[in-house]
């Protein structure tokens, strides 16, 4: 089950050290011992220009950045796909890739899941989670739960990380783009309300609610309702529901 307290802490962090520690703790609660997160201006930009947060051992992180980044099939997948990649020894096929995996194993990196992020302004981010070496193979049900949770968590990670980069160019005028009714719909959606629920509260039709969200996505330049919620939280327009 998603720990929303930690997600909201991520959104509110104004120090990158606290932010990364929160991310590492969240990953550990799912059985991931090591995390590599990078965010760059676009997918063509070199790793040297990326902002990186990782709890990899420093010697391995340096080796990876200097030697292995360009041949890593995990990176190649993330650059070319929006889908998560469940990776293990079989993912590494060429001689160079096999050597990469053998070296990585010495630093506790044998298998894991990688999540790509392609931002609305061409930003590229990669979130790679390595499973604990002692972890048992996951059942299909558990794997499905993890994939479902982290498909959402990665949006929070991506949006909250941008405050620490030069990529973050939110104009304060964005706060005035939405109408009061659009803000109300976002707040209700953040509280878990369906379009039908919102239509009842707002005394309108579901079609009207969906029209509001279509406008919100266009104004925020995002593709999903959840991404709009995350951005609205980041701008301080809406707030998580208190239990």
């Amino acid at each position: 089950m998603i720990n929303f307290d930690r997600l909201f802490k991520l959104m509110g962090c104004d120090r990158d050290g606290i932010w990364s520690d929160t991310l590492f703790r969240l990953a550990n609660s799912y059985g991931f011992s090591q995390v590599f997160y990078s965010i760059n201006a676009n997918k063509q930009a070199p790793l040297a220009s990326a902002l990186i947060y990782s709890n990899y051992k420093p010697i391995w992180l340096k080796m990876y950045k200097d030697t292995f980044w360009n041949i890593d099939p995990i990176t190649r997948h993330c650059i070319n796909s929006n889908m998560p990649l469940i990776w293990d020894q079989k993912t590494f096929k060429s001689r160079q890739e096999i050597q990469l995996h053998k070296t990585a194993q010495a630093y506790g990196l044998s298998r894991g899941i990688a999540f790509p992020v392609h931002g609305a302004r061409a930003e590229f981010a990669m979130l790679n989670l390595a499973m604990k070496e002692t972890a048992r193979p996951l059942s299909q049900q558990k794997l499905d739960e993890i994939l479902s949770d982290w498909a959402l968590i990665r949006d929070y990670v991506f949006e909250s990380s941008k405050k620490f980069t030069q990529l973050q160019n939110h104009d304060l005028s964005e706060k005035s783009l939405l109408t009061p009714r659009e803000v109300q719909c976002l707040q209700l959606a953040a509280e878990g309300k369906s379009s039908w629920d919102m239509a009842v509260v707002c005394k309108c039709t579901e079609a009207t609610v969906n029209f509001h969200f279509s406008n919100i996505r266009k104004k925020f330049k995002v593709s999903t309702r959840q991404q709009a919620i995350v951005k609205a939280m980041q701008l301080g327009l809406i707030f998580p529901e208190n239990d």
Side-chain angles (χ1 to χ4, degrees):
M1 184 175 180
I2 295 177
N3 187 327
F4 281 98
D5 287 341
R6 284 195 175 136
L7 283 188
F8 299 145
K9 185 177 180 180
L10 274 177
M11 296 301 297
C13 283
D14 56 4
R15 296 183 181 180
D16 58 355
I18 297 175
W19 181 89
S20 59
D21 184 62
T22 301
L23 172 59
F24 300 156
R25 288 174 182 271
L26 182 59
N28 188 69
S29 70
Y30 280 83
F32 298 111
S33 59
Q34 298 192 62
V35 177
F36 177 88
Y37 176 74
S38 65
I39 179 171
N40 220 330
N42 57 69
K43 62 185 182 181
Q44 285 80 34
L47 182 62
S49 65
L51 185 69
I52 296 173
Y53 293 100
S54 179
N55 59 354
Y56 285 174
K57 292 180 180 178
I59 186 172
W60 166 247
L61 184 58
K62 185 177 189 306
M63 289 172 61
Y64 181 72
K65 291 192 293 185
D66 292 348
T67 307
F68 293 121
W69 166 261
N70 290 328
I71 63 173
D72 189 356
I74 299 172
T75 302
R76 186 164 61 248
H77 169 88
C78 289
I79 287 174
N80 295 304
S81 176
N82 288 311
M83 300 298 293
L85 172 68
I86 302 168
W87 59 269
D88 58 18
Q89 183 178 354
K90 297 187 293 294
T91 306
F92 302 80
K93 303 183 186 305
S94 71
R95 182 179 59 82
Q96 286 183 312
E97 291 172 2
I98 292 171
Q99 183 59 48
L100 160 58
H101 187 254
K102 285 182 177 179
T103 308
Q105 282 183 301
Y107 295 94
L109 301 163
S110 298
R111 56 196 174 97
I113 307 175
F115 294 85
V117 183
H118 298 271
R121 294 180 175 85
E123 310 99 323
F124 170 67
M126 183 175 75
L127 176 62
N128 194 10
L129 308 169
M131 296 177 185
K132 297 176 181 177
E133 290 185 274
T134 56
R136 296 179 179 179
L138 298 174
S139 67
Q140 189 60 51
Q141 179 180 354
K142 185 62 176 178
L143 182 59
D144 289 344
E145 290 174 359
I146 290 174
L147 288 171
S148 177
D149 284 0
W150 280 86
L152 170 63
I153 293 170
R154 69 173 172 184
D155 287 341
Y156 282 82
V157 172
F158 175 63
E159 289 297 335
S160 60
S161 72
K162 290 195 290 184
K163 67 170 70 75
F164 306 118
T165 76
Q166 296 302 312
L167 305 178
Q168 177 69 337
N169 293 315
H170 282 314
D171 187 336
L172 292 178
S173 66
E174 286 185 302
K175 289 188 175 184
S176 62
L177 286 177
L178 303 189
T179 66
R181 180 50 60 88
E182 289 168 349
V183 172
Q184 182 187 22
C185 287
L186 278 169
Q187 180 64 55
L188 291 170
E191 294 170 5
K193 300 293 192 297
S194 67
S195 292
W196 184 87
D197 294 328
M198 285 183 261
V200 172
V201 173
C202 298
K203 298 180 180 179
C204 64
T205 66
E206 284 187 69
T208 299
V209 170
N210 292 332
F211 176 75
H212 288 318
F213 275 102
S214 176
N215 285 337
I216 292 167
R217 291 195 300 271
K218 290 176 183 177
K219 291 176 180 180
F220 275 177
K221 297 180 180 178
V222 297
S223 56
T224 69
R225 186 174 295 192
Q226 184 59 46
Q227 288 169 347
I229 291 170
V230 171
K231 187 164 186 178
M233 285 183 179
Q234 188 176 29
L235 290 171
L237 288 170
I238 61 173
F239 302 92
E241 182 181 25
N242 294 320
D243 295 329

